[in-house]
Amino acid sequence: MKNFEGSWVCSTSNCGYIYNPSKGDRKGKIPPGTPFEKLPEDWKCPICGASKKAFRPMDQLEKKH
């Protein structure tokens, strides 16, 4: 699960997009290596358009299971 380190998942229903800092977001012109915390405040989920507030850290989700 190391390749998902620092990743955040969109928590809106029917989405589940994972922002992976090592990949960035090509559609949103976010370069690889950009941590989630450094994304612009107006950044949106490339799949459903949700705001950053809809995202949850993946490591928190993994601990629940």
Side-chain angles (χ1 to χ4, degrees):
M1 205 44 128
K2 242 188 171 112
N3 57 342
F4 285 106
E5 195 171 319
S7 294
W8 288 60
V9 64
C10 184
S11 63
T12 61
S13 58
N14 302 325
C15 184
Y17 170 78
I18 297 170
Y19 174 77
N20 186 333
S22 65
K23 294 182 178 178
D25 171 21
R26 201 174 356 169
K27 184 178 174 186
K29 297 181 173 61
I30 305 297
T34 304
F36 186 82
E37 295 80 8
K38 300 282 186 194
L39 291 174
E41 284 306 311
D42 62 350
W43 180 82
K44 303 274 190 235
C45 174
I47 304 298
C48 72
S51 71
K52 282 178 68 176
K53 292 178 181 155
F55 281 74
R56 301 289 173 255
M58 265 194 89
D59 58 357
Q60 285 183 5
L61 298 176
E62 291 168 10
K63 289 174 188 167
K64 290 180 182 175
H65 297 289

